[in-house]
């Protein structure tokens, strides 16, 4: 069970509690799942009971208890504990990280993808209405790639591109990043996107993807491959990989491709900080730890490649 799946499980329990009449509170749009805070336990935790306690007029501990009863019937959760004023703490069956990496390896670049991304870049059935302007057109195309579909009367509204010749001056990839990485209400930034330096977010994301592929090639030379055999202590990178499907879904739901761009940047930062631990050093022999670290690095590379493709940007294996 990934954090995104756990979030949906908890939200479903909230809905059932409201339907049963034991919880009188508005159902939230989403439930935030995070690593346990100091004093917490297990793999993940949520403060949803504290958020619902006020509107429900009930103590947070009571809300947590009734949610625990409903969540506890779900497979994949080994134990649920209540800590502090009403935090729900989850210990998943087996290793959540190992299952996550196995899922990414099995799904490949389909991991986190919407149901269909094989959509034309030009206008067509189901396209988002938009102004006859470069950024609005690319924004509308990308929303379709993310799996979003226009509502009645919905129109893409964004701050226009600085000029229509961006693809010619920057190239297609850099132009798309410039127009999608800024929020719809912000002016796109085009400076520095051709600089081959880690200060350039587009270069950083593509470089991190290339590094993941290079680690796989180097590991093959050393005679080992990726396998999620052991736990890897890399919470930032694990969380970034696990959050990818939810980020893609949120980017579509909120009409905000910039959320995906920021997530790819976060994933790249975490991978670049982690990469130095993957391969054996000196006379060190490859171990289960190295195979597991490689599996996590490859999963991050998969997220970066899939995310870039949703933005219409290439992900070279060599950079």
């Amino acid at each position: 069970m990934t954090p995104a799946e756990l979030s949906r499980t908890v939200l479903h329990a909230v809905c059932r509690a409201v339907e049963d009449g034991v919880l009188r509170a508005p159902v939230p749009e989403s439930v935030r799942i995070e690593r346990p805070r100091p004093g917490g336990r297990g793999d993940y935790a949520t403060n949803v009971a504290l958020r619902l306690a006020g509107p429900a007029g009930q103590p947070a501990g009571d809300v947590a208890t009734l949610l625990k009863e409903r969540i506890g019937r779900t497979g994949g959760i080994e134990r649920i504990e209540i800590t502090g004023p009403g935090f729900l703490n989850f210990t998943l069956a087996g290793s959540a990280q190992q299952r996550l990496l196995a899922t990414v390896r099995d799904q490949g670049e389909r991991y986190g993808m919407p149901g269909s991304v094989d959509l034309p870049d030009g206008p067509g059935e189901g396209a988002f209405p938009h102004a006859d302007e470069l950024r609005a057109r690319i924004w509308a195309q990308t929303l379709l790639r993310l799996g979003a579909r226009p509502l009645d009367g919905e129109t893409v509204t964004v701050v226009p591109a600085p000029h229509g010749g961006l693809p010619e001056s920057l190239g297609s990839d850099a132009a798309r990043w410039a127009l999608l990485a800024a929020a719809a209400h912000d002016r796109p930034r085009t400076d520095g996107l051709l600089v081959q330096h880690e200060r350039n977010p587009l270069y950083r994301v593509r470089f991190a993807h290339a590094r993941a592929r290079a680690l796989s090639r180097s590991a093959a030379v050393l005679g080992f491959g990726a396998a999620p055999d052991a736990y890897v202590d890399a919470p930032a990178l694990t969380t970034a990989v696990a959050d990818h499907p939810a980020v893609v879904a949120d980017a579509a739901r909120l009409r905000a491709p910039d959320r995906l761009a920021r997530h790819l940047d976060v994933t790249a930062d975490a991978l670049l900080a982690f990469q130095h631990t993957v391969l054996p050093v000196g006379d060190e022999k490859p171990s289960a730890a190295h195979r597991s670290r490689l599996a996590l690095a490859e999963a991050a590379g998969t997220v970066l490649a899939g995310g870039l493709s949703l933005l219409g940007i290439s992900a070279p294996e060599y950079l």
Side-chain angles (χ1 to χ4, degrees), residues 1 3 13 32 35 69 76 80 86 96 127 138 154 166 186 191 204 212 242 245 264 270 273 277 285 316 318:
M1 180 176 289
R32 181 177 177 80
R35 292 292 178 182
E69 294 171 354
I80 305 175
I138 289 179
E154 183 178 8
L166 281 182
D186 289 336
D191 55 303
R204 187 164 58 244
L264 296 180
T277 71
K285 300 297 184 183
Y318 297 85

Side-chain angles (χ1 to χ4, degrees), residues 240-252:
V241 172
D243 286 350
H244 180 61
V247 171
V248 172
D250 283 346

Side-chain angles (χ1 to χ4, degrees), residues 66-143:
L66 63 89
L67 292 179
K68 175 183 176 180
E69 294 171 354
R70 285 159 176 78
I71 300 168
R73 304 166 191 164
T74 304
I77 299 176
E78 181 177 299
R79 186 169 62 255
I80 305 175
E81 299 172 88
I82 300 172
T83 61
F87 290 97
L88 284 164
N89 296 252
F90 304 94
T91 299
L92 303 183
S95 168
Q97 185 187 73
Q98 288 175 295
R99 288 195 304 276
L100 169 66
L101 299 184
T103 297
V104 179
R105 285 171 60 81
D106 179 60
Q107 296 182 3
E109 290 187 18
R110 294 182 292 109
Y111 174 68
M113 288 286 185
S116 172
V117 294
D118 297 324
L119 295 163
D121 281 344
E125 184 178 355
F128 279 82
H130 58 82
D132 185 16
E133 182 272 328
L134 176 64
R135 191 184 186 202
R137 182 169 65 254
I138 289 179
W139 201 273
Q141 294 167 0
T142 305
L143 290 179

Side-chain angles (χ1 to χ4, degrees), residues 1-5 8 33 35 44 96-113 208-209 212-213 228 232 234-249 260 262-272 274 292-307:
M1 180 176 289
T2 66
E5 291 170 336
R8 291 193 291 270
I33 300 295
R35 292 292 178 182
Y44 297 105
Q97 185 187 73
Q98 288 175 295
R99 288 195 304 276
L100 169 66
L101 299 184
T103 297
V104 179
R105 285 171 60 81
D106 179 60
Q107 296 182 3
E109 290 187 18
R110 294 182 292 109
Y111 174 68
M113 288 286 185
H209 168 262
R213 300 300 181 237
V232 180
L237 187 55
T238 302
T239 299
V241 172
D243 286 350
H244 180 61
V247 171
V248 172
L260 176 57
R262 287 195 296 274
H263 177 67
L264 296 180
D265 200 7
V266 168
T267 305
D269 281 345
L271 176 56
L272 292 174
F274 172 76
S292 298
R293 292 172 197 152
L294 180 60
L296 179 55
E298 288 186 351
T302 297
V303 165
L304 294 173

